[in-house]
Amino acid sequence: MQNILEVKNLSVGFNIEDNFYYALNNINLSFEKGKIHALAGESGCGKSVFINSVLRLLAKNARIKSGEVIFNNQNILNLKENELENIRGKKISLIPQDPFMSLNPLYTIENQLLEVVDKKDKNNSKTIIQNALEEVRINNIKNVLASYPHELSGGMKQRVIIAMSLISNCELILADEPTTALDVSVSNSILNLLLNLKEKGKTIILITHDLSIVSNYCDTTTIMYLGDIVEKAPSNCLFKNPKHPYTKALLAALPTKKGKKLENIKGQISPITDIITGCKFHPRCGCKLDKCVFEKPVLKLCSGSTYSSSNNSEVACWLYNQIK
Ligand SMILES: Nc1ncnc2c1ncn2[C@@H]1O[C@H](COP(=O)(O)OP(=O)(O)OP(=O)(O)O)[C@@H](O)[C@H]1O
Ligand code: SF4
Ligand SMILES: [Mg+2]
């Protein structure tokens, strides 16, 4: 097992008025090469802050307080801006929720694709671009190349961005809710393209709040809540045997049987400016114990006979932390 990315003790927050608030708390995550890794949780739990920290694409008021982001034996957080340019879009690509963010509205698609072709391959650039666009199943290639981003649909723009990742031969693809703005059939075709990338040996970190996508496409799943990891596991374990009450609540909110009433998760996720002691999920948790209000549980491996069907699940919850 080889990890392409290792994030260690990452804490990130924002200056808001005269105070500093954490959006990520001491995150430790490793991403195995050649797999699709899901990062899931409700809106505001820190998914985008995480992904943007990896590429250091954070807002001006953000501060990375501690941690390491190790990619190819380099700590990205220590790189100079010009060294980062050799990684962004070249080794690690970002597929954003809104593809407009990655495409320059002033240039045609052809010009933008030409920019990502490696200098040594410039003589072959037309073929390389043609192959990449065919691979992402764009049929009317001539028209698409001559278009400006605003002339393409959302799904078509996401295909162009995935083609860019193919051309630049990025090893790691960070996909931040790449299908949220798309209808179901386009969304499925984009997800299938991500599966094709995995078959080519690429690693994908897929951010989503849709657990039905996770169960179908992802090898591992990490569930976040208010800047903490609350559960991480191989996806099949997590779906068969979820542990954390928050994971269970997210799964109970998924549509399953026709006509079955969906469960809502009680309450709402708090803003980062709210200070919550103990387990941050305690105001919404139906299983809370007295200590949950004051003591924060840490992420621990849940293995052994008690949890025999859930090898390698890690969970941060006193219901499990108590059992030796
Ligand atoms: N520039 C900023 N200044 C202040 N707070 C911010 C800033 N950017 C993000 N936040 C806060 O950080 C927290 C995590 O935000 P993030 O965008 O990572 O959430 P998310 O999990 O990606 O949510 P969504 O599913 O809606 O995209 C939120 O409470 C958000 O309001
Ligand atoms: S630690 Fe306590 S409050 Fe938090 S999820 Fe577990 S039982 Fe619920
Ligand atoms: Mg987000």
Side-chain angles (χ1 to χ4, degrees):
M1 182 185 100
Q2 194 192 344
N3 291 330
I4 191 164
L5 184 77
E6 292 195 359
V7 175
K8 298 179 185 169
N9 305 318
L10 181 67
S11 292
V12 180
F14 295 98
N15 290 315
I16 301 174
E17 294 173 354
D18 290 335
N19 290 306
F20 182 81
Y21 300 95
Y22 282 94
L24 292 181
N25 307 297
N26 208 28
I27 299 292
N28 285 287
L29 274 178
S30 298
F31 298 94
E32 192 184 337
K33 211 173 174 159
K35 305 272 186 211
I36 303 185
H37 304 275
L39 213 57
E42 286 167 294
S43 185
C45 68
K47 307 180 296 290
S48 295
V49 173
F50 176 81
I51 224 101
N52 293 332
S53 301
V54 169
L55 279 175
R56 280 172 43 197
L57 292 170
L58 290 162
K60 279 208 175 87
N61 63 334
R63 297 285 173 273
I64 297 178
K65 282 287 180 176
S66 66
E68 293 174 74
V69 175
I70 311 289
F71 174 74
N72 282 345
N73 299 320
Q74 285 179 304
N75 182 0
I76 290 183
L77 303 186
N78 288 343
L79 295 182
K80 298 194 185 95
E81 215 32 56
N82 62 336
E83 293 171 320
L84 255 179
E85 292 314 316
N86 294 326
I87 291 187
R88 287 188 190 135
K90 300 200 171 87
K91 301 266 177 13
I92 305 178
S93 70
L94 175 67
I95 306 175
Q97 184 171 337
D98 177 359
F100 258 122
M101 281 169 54
S102 281
L103 294 171
N104 188 328
L106 303 176
Y107 294 99
T108 62
I109 299 301
E110 182 166 23
N111 283 335
Q112 302 193 48
L113 291 173
L114 278 169
E115 244 177 59
V116 287
V117 177
D118 199 283
K119 280 191 196 99
K120 67 176 177 10
D121 297 324
K122 286 290 176 201
N123 292 340
N124 276 335
S125 54
K126 283 222 150 69
T127 319
I128 290 170
I129 289 173
Q130 172 90 16
N131 290 346
L133 292 178
E134 278 172 14
E135 215 162 313
V136 297
R137 311 221 167 82
I138 289 179
N139 299 323
N140 48 345
I141 290 180
K142 211 171 150 200
N143 288 346
V144 169
L145 286 174
S147 303
Y148 288 87
H150 74 270
E151 296 175 296
L152 301 181
S153 66
M156 202 57 100
K157 282 196 278 274
Q158 288 299 45
R159 279 167 208 260
V160 168
I161 291 168
I162 295 173
M164 279 179 168
S165 308
L166 287 170
I167 293 169
S168 56
N169 212 9
C170 283
E171 299 163 57
L172 175 62
I173 292 146
L174 312 176
D176 191 352
E177 309 213 34
T179 58
T180 303
L182 308 175
D183 69 51
V184 179
S185 67
V186 183
S187 158
N188 287 348
S189 66
I190 297 293
L191 291 165
N192 286 333
L193 286 175
L194 294 181
L195 276 182
N196 289 349
L197 290 177
K198 173 185 148 173
E199 276 157 23
K200 288 176 182 296
K202 312 284 182 198
T203 311
I204 295 146
I205 303 179
L206 176 63
I207 288 197
T208 180
H209 51 251
D210 183 346
L211 285 184
S212 55
I213 289 178
V214 176
S215 66
N216 290 327
Y217 291 90
C218 302
D219 299 288
T220 74
T221 303
T222 299
I223 305 287
M224 293 183 70
Y225 189 78
L226 267 182
D228 290 326
I229 295 172
V230 296
E231 183 159 1
K232 63 178 175 183
S235 300
N236 55 351
C237 293
L238 186 123
F239 283 89
K240 229 190 276 168
N241 194 0
K243 298 275 176 305
H244 198 281
Y246 181 55
T247 313
K248 289 181 183 176
L250 287 174
L251 288 174
L254 276 181
T256 45
K257 285 192 193 117
K258 206 175 160 194
K260 187 175 171 269
K261 204 170 160 224
L262 298 182
E263 304 279 339
N264 279 329
I265 308 179
K266 192 181 113 190
Q268 280 185 337
I269 195 161
S270 313
I272 52 171
T273 46
D274 281 7
I275 306 300
I276 303 172
T277 58
C279 167
K280 289 193 185 154
F281 189 59
H282 86 251
R284 304 173 73 186
C285 182
C287 312
K288 88 174 161 214
L289 312 167
D290 289 345
K291 72 189 304 186
C292 302
V293 181
F294 307 106
E295 279 184 66
K296 189 170 175 177
V298 293
L299 201 63
K300 277 193 178 169
L301 199 62
C302 261
S303 57
S305 55
T306 324
Y307 306 109
S308 53
S309 59
S310 65
N311 34 17
N312 301 326
S313 287
E314 285 178 63
V315 63
C317 172
W318 287 120
L319 296 178
Y320 303 92
N321 276 204
Q322 282 187 329
I323 297 162
K324 297 274 180 288

